[in-house]
Amino acid sequence: MRSILKTLTVAGLTVGISACGLFSSSGPENTAMHFVHGMAKGDIQKVDKLVYWGPEVQNPAQPYTLRLEEAKVNGYVMATYQRLQAEGGLKEAKIVKNQRTMIHGVEHATVIISLIPEKGSPRNTTLQLVRRDGKWFVSVD
């Protein structure tokens, strides 16, 4: 009985700590992988949540700038989705390079991911990321 309680306690603590994010990766590579998997599924809503629309894009004096940039990103997502679907879907995504830099006190990262389809040749995609308010986003600035 004691060993069962001990096992349940350890399991409960592990789940609790995992839920707090202690074991989860919150770096740019995690955001980049979520972005790539969203593209592979054609999930525009998921991808849009991972994008940082900079102040130039969100300028209220130019309301169509944001819509234009969203359309560009959505077009890129759908083109990638269609290409991967034509090649049997995404088999695997591997991080090839992850380089972090500081620019004017803001953390940036360049993440290169190899998209490996079921059929066809792997292709690399390069994502620029920026850290804002403690979270990583794909930057379109």
Side-chain angles (χ1 to χ4, degrees), residues 7-57:
T7 302
L8 289 174
T9 302
V10 170
L13 286 172
T14 303
V15 169
I17 291 172
S18 296
C20 293
L22 185 61
F23 296 129
S24 67
S25 172
S26 59
E29 53 284 324
N30 190 36
T31 300
M33 290 299 274
H34 282 292
F35 187 88
V36 163
H37 285 285
M39 283 193 314
K41 293 177 183 172
D43 190 344
I44 291 173
Q45 291 176 339
K46 179 179 181 176
V47 168
D48 282 351
K49 290 177 184 176
L50 299 172
V51 173
Y52 173 73
W53 307 103
E56 298 83 16
V57 173

Side-chain angles (χ1 to χ4, degrees), residues 82-96:
Q82 289 171 347
R83 181 182 40 100
L84 286 170
Q85 288 305 304
E87 296 176 337
L90 181 66
K91 179 180 179 181
E92 187 177 1
K94 291 183 180 181
I95 295 177
V96 176

